[in-house]
Amino acid sequence: VLNSEIDKASISDRGLIMDIRVVLQDYRQINVEMQMVAMTEWFRRMLFHWSKMYATQIFRGDDFEELKPS
């Protein structure tokens, strides 16, 4: 289980705290979200969470092949 908070890149960035963030033995990451009510913007929320989780796997100078499925 990883820290579920993804740091902001700048002060104006939107923060992100996932319910549960897990990394598997093959380094794939899983975001588990739990909602009490239906959300009309669910797809956009999921896509935003995925993009942040995926983009924070590598840093300047890293190869894109290091990215693992999320």
Side-chain angles (χ1 to χ4, degrees):
V1 176
L2 300 174
N3 180 356
S4 60
E5 185 171 356
I6 294 182
D7 293 333
K8 297 177 181 184
S10 71
I11 200 160
S12 63
D13 257 1
R14 180 180 177 113
L16 175 60
I17 300 176
M18 298 178 207
D19 292 337
I20 301 171
R21 185 178 178 193
V22 178
V23 64
L24 303 177
Q25 288 179 338
D26 63 0
Y27 302 104
R28 290 180 296 156
Q29 291 187 43
I30 298 174
N31 172 26
V32 178
E33 287 291 315
M34 297 173 278
Q35 302 298 322
M36 296 293 291
V37 294
M39 296 180 65
T40 58
E41 297 295 322
W42 174 249
F43 180 76
R44 288 186 173 124
R45 177 184 172 95
M46 182 264 317
L47 186 59
F48 179 74
H49 283 208
W50 171 82
S51 67
K52 290 280 196 171
M53 186 170 59
Y54 193 69
T56 58
Q57 291 183 47
I58 62 172
F59 302 94
R60 182 178 296 193
D62 291 345
D63 292 325
F64 287 105
E65 64 190 26
E66 294 180 40
L67 289 168
K68 303 296 182 202
S70 297

